[in-house]
Amino acid sequence: MQYNANLKRNCLRVFTMTVFLILCFVITPDRAVKADEIYRNSVTGYRAVIDDTAGLISDEDPYYGKLTEEMQALTEYGNAALLTVSEGYIESTRDYAKSNLHSLFGKESATVFLIDLVNRQIYIFSNGDILKTVTQPRGYIITDNIYRYATLAQYTECACHAFEQEIQLLEGSEIAQPMKYISCILLALLFAGFIVYENARNHSAGSVADSSELLKYTEHNLGVKVKINNLSKTKYRNDDNKSDSVRSSGSWFSSDDYSGGSWGGGSSGGSGGGGGGHSF
């Protein structure tokens, strides 16, 4: 009797655990299934999907039609996804975008635009053939250009412009890079100010009397001879230090130290994909 009772309890525990595991797999949502597929390219097989978990995108928005058009156009080059999130623990916006891209599209050519309200960031993450054009630096440029729409809570328009600029790059066109130009202008002004300062400092310094003139003046007026070897050495040492300081100051903007100019592309961001983002 005792043996039968224990057997029944063990069977009941196994049955309960089995039902629990089945319910976990059924109830737990899969992101690839949850995302709404809005378009599938019949020629390339690439898809355009929207996973609006945060409820930021409305089909009544005047930019929604333009948004879907841009995403459909992207399927000529790879998959396209628009993701939004507003709750939960997200340690890294980049890692979140990367994991969802691979969850949705695997290793296929794809690009994801993420609006992360948890960390207040927008992010573009790409993989495959798209990454060859929409590189990591260009991802930063695009998000620099559009983050203000997210700041104003114009999320549909923000996403629309993100995919629009990606299309421009993929079609061989250029996109605006105002932050790059502003940085170059500020750098040029800083360098010019440094040159003006050094030039003014050099011209404002008084001329140093030659040691022979000092000796001649002392002998003529005081009738004594003064050895000024130490003074001469001090003078020459100061002159050397001055020239060394000028040389070290002038090397601040050397080509070896300044490594800017990588905005245009070339960075792959790693074999698993790459991208860039901006806070808002």
Side-chain angles (χ1 to χ4, degrees):
M1 294 292 294
Q2 184 67 28
Y3 174 78
N4 292 335
N6 291 335
L7 181 63
K8 289 181 180 179
R9 282 196 295 268
N10 291 335
C11 291
L12 182 60
R13 290 173 181 172
V14 172
F15 176 76
T16 303
M17 183 63 67
T18 303
V19 172
F20 176 76
L21 292 174
I22 293 174
L23 289 176
C24 286
F25 280 108
V26 172
I27 296 176
T28 302
D30 182 76
R31 297 196 63 84
V33 175
K34 184 178 179 181
D36 296 325
E37 182 179 307
I38 63 172
Y39 180 75
R40 181 185 291 268
N41 192 308
S42 59
V43 177
T44 63
Y46 294 132
R47 300 176 295 137
V49 300
I50 296 179
D51 187 357
D52 185 22
T53 304
L56 306 179
I57 309 300
S58 172
D59 55 6
E60 297 180 356
D61 191 285
Y63 279 91
Y64 184 80
K66 177 68 172 175
L67 168 64
T68 57
E69 289 178 6
E70 299 295 347
M71 294 184 70
Q72 290 178 22
L74 261 169
T75 59
E76 293 290 332
Y77 308 93
N79 299 289
L82 168 59
L83 309 176
T84 67
V85 61
S86 61
E87 58 185 8
Y89 175 73
I90 301 177
E91 182 177 0
S92 168
T93 302
R94 180 187 185 279
D95 291 343
Y96 186 87
K98 177 181 179 180
S99 64
N100 279 276
L101 181 145
H102 292 303
S103 176
L104 287 166
F105 308 119
K107 296 182 179 180
E108 295 181 353
S109 174
T111 185
V112 164
F113 179 65
L114 169 64
I115 303 176
D116 177 9
L117 294 186
V118 178
N119 298 309
R120 302 293 296 179
Q121 285 188 340
I122 56 175
Y123 207 93
I124 292 176
F125 193 90
S126 302
N127 190 40
D129 291 338
I130 292 182
L131 182 60
K132 296 177 182 179
T133 302
V134 186
T135 57
Q136 180 171 320
R138 284 174 172 167
Y140 282 109
I141 290 173
I142 294 175
T143 52
D144 282 346
N145 292 341
I146 65 174
Y147 78 92
R148 293 176 183 83
Y149 298 107
T151 303
L152 298 174
Q154 299 171 353
Y155 302 114
T156 305
E157 185 176 359
C158 181
C160 177
H161 289 306
F163 290 117
E164 179 184 30
Q165 293 189 30
E166 287 195 53
I167 285 291
Q168 291 177 6
L169 292 173
L170 291 167
E171 291 178 345
S173 301
E174 297 294 331
I175 59 175
Q177 303 181 39
M179 294 305 297
K180 174 184 177 181
Y181 301 139
I182 292 174
S183 299
C184 290
I185 292 173
L186 292 177
L187 186 62
L189 291 175
L190 181 62
F191 186 65
F194 177 78
I195 294 177
V196 171
Y197 168 76
E198 284 295 321
N199 188 52
R201 191 180 71 170
N202 292 335
H203 284 79
S204 62
S207 59
V208 181
D210 186 72
S211 59
S212 60
E213 294 180 355
L214 291 174
L215 182 59
K216 180 180 179 181
Y217 177 82
T218 304
E219 291 176 347
H220 178 73
N221 291 281
L222 300 179
V224 296
K225 293 184 178 181
V226 181
K227 293 184 179 180
I228 57 172
N229 292 334
N230 293 333
L231 177 61
S232 300
K233 292 179 181 179
T234 303
K235 169 183 173 296
Y236 296 146
R237 188 181 302 112
N238 290 338
D239 290 343
D240 291 339
N241 292 336
K242 179 181 177 182
S243 61
D244 288 340
S245 64
V246 172
R247 284 195 296 270
S248 62
S249 300
S251 64
W252 192 72
F253 284 108
S254 66
S255 59
D256 294 334
D257 294 336
Y258 179 67
S259 58
S262 62
W263 294 82
S267 174
S268 63
S271 57
H278 200 292
S279 301
F280 66 91

